[in-house]
Amino acid sequence: MKFFQRLGRSLMLPVAVLPVAAILSGIGYWIQTATGNEENVVGGFFAIAGNALLDQLPLLFAIGVAIGMAKKPDGTSALAGLVSWLVVTTLLSPESVAIFKGIDEGEVNLAFSNIENVFVGILCGLIGAYAYDHFKDAELPDFLAFFSGRRSVAIVAAGMSLVLSLVLFFVWPLVFTGLVAFGEFILTLGPVGVGIYGFLNRLLIPLGLHHALNSVFWFDVAGINDLGNFLHATGTYGVTGQYMTGFFPVMMLGLPGAALAMYVTAKSARRKVAAGVLLSSAIASFFVGVTEPLEFSFMFLAPGLYVVHALFTGISMGISALLPVRMGFGFSGGFIDLVLGWVNPMAQNPWAIPLMGIFWFVVYFVVFRAIILKFDLKTPGRDEDDQLTDDGVTLSGENKHLATATAFLTALGGKENIIDLENCATRLRMEVADTTVIDEAALKRAGAAGTMKPGGQSVQVIYGTSVQFVKDAMESIITGRSEPVAEAAEVAAAEAAATGASGTAGPAADGAAGTAVRTTHLVRLRQPLAGSVVPLSEVPDQTFAQEVMGPGVAIDPTDGEVIAPAAGTVGHVFPTGHAVALVLDDGTELLIHVGLDSVQMKGEGFTTLVEPGQRVSAGTPLLRADLSAIRVAGHSTLTPIIVMNDKDARIELV
């Protein structure tokens, strides 16, 4: 599930640009059809502008997945995804297949004319991300040194794409031909078959295979030609259009109802940003019948919800086939096509379609809202790591993380002094040009809990569990994407005073109790992982040993499963999976950090079992760590357990 949620988030980047493209394309189509002139300049202008993106949806997905699925991506992963796409689609184009088989291009299996689909785009994006993650730091022999590191990523992606192309060369025609044959079988099932077709049509969209099924019913593959007969009014009244009618209520009003449900269930802090994508996507679905922007916004984040949508589409198609209602489209099942087809001789009782749409609007809204809340689905605006949010990622001049980043950079000697910048669970890890210019007092005023200088040019600034956002903000300033905040030191100092030096919400670490509920400094916890208890002072890491982040204990583990030591809420799960922050019911803010310097493993050997915002009880599994893998990587498995918001706290494990 975590893989699909991450995949869904990676698709939001290309999906966000599609609604406007769909609307432009729809306007162009409407102008051309209303004027009866397919060469209308104004209509062509809008249609071509919109189709420039819609026609390249699979390519956008290849690039978006390559960026979103890679760890700490840069342009290299996107380039690798593009290279993979170009290799696969060129090798499997009808022209290339004809050469490989020694036949005329007209004899090539129709499947290869549909190779540029979303499914292949996603596969190519995954190849690009994999090649980037595993080969961006590859070192080659001296005579090949030019191709080392990031230069090797695209080359590896191309090689992997050759293998994928070879597999698809044999598999793709079988899949495509099988779908066509299945579609021809559905014809024998009447209205039930229409419903099955509608269900499968939506279910196959993530793979791009719905085109094979559509060709059976909409065109003249099996003698139906539902779309062509409707547009040319050459079909049978009361029959023609049955394979299109049921899409109208769902596309025009059903899916907008789903969008409203996702909006009202979004977290209040993310609702405004989620509304941007959901509203524009709903408009595209209603007016134009382009549903991909809305469907892709939740199909991978909440696949079960997408199956419900496919089921509703199938029911709508089946009911429409039973009723004396018929309508067709030339573009898709949106309002524009409904208006244009209203007076078509093949149209039957078109007035019923908006009424059916109202029914489906209510059904989608009620059912989607109930399922999202019941199962806490991570639809847009509900995911802590949602790329739609601008909390600490898309920075503005008033953002607290940008203010802190500006103050930190100033105290560190300016962005020119930063050679390399990374972060772990609670601290910034840097290589700087000159350590003597660092103002540790200014760093502390800006919110740092402490500063460590391990030696050489290495510097560590201890901040807290929100350190990732500060690091992202610092990178944004260094690269010029964001401007430094004026009077940032004052802003950051005020923020630090309000939230505590740890960078997390709560009282400052001044010896006061964590909340009004907990009136003692004693914190009794269930031991979160098996092993022997070690005083924090004996941990060979000065940040923990000197209690810079806060007091606590450490465990020398004998088992890698980490459980919740008490009831509370998951505050943060680190992307590398090596640490988790909890807010216990009594207000205690707790950090469990598996291993020392284990962040350098970049997630290898760690499996997270919970998500931010999730309620947990004592004993709930939080994460699993491969202790042997940590040791093999040269890191200690000692696991500090730190109280973040009470410097006088004393942990007692029971």
Side-chain angles (χ1 to χ4, degrees):
M1 184 63 69
K2 182 179 179 181
F3 170 83
F4 286 108
Q5 289 182 346
R6 187 178 172 193
L7 179 61
R9 288 193 295 268
S10 72
L11 295 179
M12 291 311 301
L13 182 62
V15 164
V17 306
L18 294 181
V20 174
I23 293 172
L24 288 175
S25 183
I27 292 173
Y29 167 70
W30 177 79
I31 292 175
Q32 290 174 329
T33 306
T35 60
N37 179 13
E38 294 184 358
E39 297 181 357
N40 183 283
V41 175
V42 177
F45 178 82
F46 283 104
I48 293 172
N51 289 336
L53 293 177
L54 291 177
D55 292 346
Q56 299 299 325
L57 180 62
L59 173 58
L60 294 177
F61 278 7
I63 296 174
V65 170
I67 295 174
M69 295 298 287
K71 300 174 184 176
K72 299 182 180 179
D74 57 23
T76 308
S77 63
L79 177 63
L82 175 60
V83 167
S84 179
W85 168 261
L86 293 175
V87 170
V88 173
T89 56
T90 302
L91 283 175
L92 297 181
S93 67
E95 298 87 347
S96 300
V97 173
I99 294 174
F100 299 150
K101 291 192 171 184
I103 59 178
D104 292 334
E105 187 176 333
E107 300 176 12
V108 173
N109 191 307
L110 183 63
F112 292 106
S113 298
N114 292 272
I115 196 65
E116 295 187 7
N117 57 69
V118 169
F119 176 61
V120 173
I122 291 175
L123 290 179
C124 293
L126 292 174
I127 285 177
Y130 181 88
Y132 175 80
D133 286 342
H134 291 81
F135 294 95
K136 69 179 185 297
D137 298 319
E139 295 185 17
L140 300 178
D142 290 344
F143 68 95
L144 293 174
F146 177 80
F147 300 103
S148 292
R150 285 173 169 78
R151 292 190 181 95
S152 69
V153 173
I155 299 173
V156 173
M160 295 175 65
S161 301
L162 293 177
V163 177
L164 175 62
S165 300
L166 186 62
V167 173
L168 291 177
F169 183 83
F170 296 102
V171 173
W172 184 249
L174 298 177
V175 175
F176 191 90
T177 304
L179 282 172
V180 172
F182 182 70
E184 293 173 345
F185 165 73
I186 291 177
L187 293 178
T188 64
L189 303 179
V192 174
V194 176
I196 294 174
Y197 158 65
F199 173 71
L200 293 177
N201 173 278
R202 293 297 96 180
L203 211 59
L204 291 171
I205 276 185
L207 305 179
L209 298 176
H210 60 298
H211 294 297
L213 209 57
N214 291 342
S215 64
V216 176
F217 302 98
W218 292 355
F219 308 113
D220 201 18
V221 172
I224 302 177
N225 198 25
D226 207 37
L227 190 151
N229 285 339
F230 185 90
L231 290 180
H232 297 99
T234 57
T236 303
Y237 183 79
V239 176
T240 298
Q242 65 177 328
Y243 292 102
M244 296 179 285
T245 307
F247 286 119
F248 281 93
V250 170
M251 292 180 174
M252 288 175 54
L253 290 167
L255 278 172
L260 180 61
M262 288 187 280
Y263 170 76
V264 300
T265 55
K267 296 181 179 179
S268 57
R270 295 170 169 81
R271 189 170 292 171
K272 181 179 179 181
V273 184
V277 169
L278 293 174
L279 177 61
S280 57
S281 298
I283 291 174
S285 182
F286 174 79
F287 281 103
V288 190
V290 174
T291 59
E292 283 87 351
L294 193 50
E295 289 168 328
F296 275 98
S297 72
F298 70 90
M299 69 168 56
F300 289 108
L301 294 174
L305 203 60
Y306 188 78
V307 173
V308 172
H309 162 53
L311 181 62
F312 284 170
T313 303
I315 295 173
S316 176
M317 293 288 290
I319 292 175
S320 299
L322 285 170
L323 296 175
V325 180
R326 296 292 181 266
M327 178 56 67
F329 46 73
F331 185 77
S332 191
F335 179 77
I336 292 176
D337 267 290
L338 178 63
V339 172
L340 295 175
W342 197 280
V343 296
N344 189 297
M346 293 292 105
Q348 183 182 25
N349 297 323
W351 55 267
I353 291 178
L355 298 180
M356 297 165 65
I358 294 173
F359 167 78
W360 282 112
F361 180 90
V362 174
V363 170
Y364 266 82
F365 174 77
V366 172
V367 174
F368 267 53
R369 181 180 180 275
I371 293 177
I372 291 170
L373 295 177
K374 173 68 175 178
F375 297 100
D376 191 24
L377 300 181
K378 302 305 180 183
T379 48
R382 291 178 58 81
D383 192 342
E384 293 292 335
D385 298 321
D386 200 334
Q387 291 186 7
L388 292 177
T389 67
D390 58 354
D391 182 12
V393 178
T394 303
L395 299 169
S396 65
E398 299 176 356
N399 188 281
K400 64 179 181 180
H401 298 308
L402 188 58
T404 301
T406 303
F408 275 11
L409 285 172
T410 301
L412 290 166
K415 62 183 181 180
E416 297 82 6
N417 196 41
I418 308 298
I419 299 174
D420 186 57
L421 174 63
E422 295 290 345
N423 72 275
C424 65
T426 57
R427 69 188 86 175
L428 296 168
R429 294 170 176 265
M430 293 166 288
E431 294 291 322
V432 298
D434 186 357
T435 59
T436 62
V437 301
I438 295 175
D439 187 341
E440 296 186 25
L443 286 170
K444 194 152 191 175
R445 287 195 301 271
T451 305
M452 306 292 296
K453 296 179 181 178
Q457 297 175 295
S458 298
V459 176
Q460 297 178 8
V461 176
I462 297 86
Y463 182 73
T465 54
S466 297
V467 67
Q468 175 187 344
F469 302 122
V470 175
K471 179 253 190 182
D472 290 343
M474 290 174 67
E475 286 185 336
S476 186
I477 296 173
I478 291 172
T479 58
R481 294 195 305 271
S482 298
E483 292 295 326
V485 175
E487 301 178 351
E490 291 79 1
V491 175
E495 183 64 38
T499 63
S502 68
T504 58
D510 58 359
T515 68
V517 176
R518 182 162 62 85
T519 58
T520 175
H521 297 295
L522 178 62
V523 181
R524 287 192 175 92
L525 302 172
R526 178 175 175 177
Q527 187 162 321
L529 69 172
S532 57
V533 179
V534 177
L536 202 61
S537 59
E538 296 182 12
V539 174
D541 183 306
Q542 293 305 303
T543 300
F544 293 118
Q546 296 179 11
E547 299 187 353
V548 176
M549 290 304 305
V553 297
I555 294 176
D556 188 0
T558 57
D559 184 81
E561 181 174 71
V562 179
I563 62 173
T569 303
V570 178
H572 190 61
V573 178
F574 294 87
T576 48
H578 72 291
V580 61
L582 301 173
V583 180
L584 305 185
D585 286 346
D586 65 358
T588 301
E589 296 175 10
L590 202 67
L591 173 70
I592 303 175
H593 190 292
V594 182
L596 305 179
D597 291 325
S598 51
V599 67
Q600 297 177 11
M601 297 178 67
K602 300 180 180 179
E604 296 293 334
F606 294 95
T607 303
T608 56
L609 306 174
V610 291
E611 298 176 346
Q614 179 177 331
R615 282 283 305 167
V616 295
S617 57
T620 300
L622 302 175
L623 64 88
R624 291 193 184 95
D626 186 338
L627 300 181
S628 61
I630 297 174
R631 297 186 185 103
V632 168
H635 306 300
S636 169
T637 58
L638 280 176
T639 299
I641 304 166
I642 306 297
V643 175
M644 302 280 289
N645 60 337
D646 183 358
K647 72 175 184 179
D648 296 320
R650 179 169 59 87
I651 291 179
E652 180 179 297
L653 298 178
V654 296

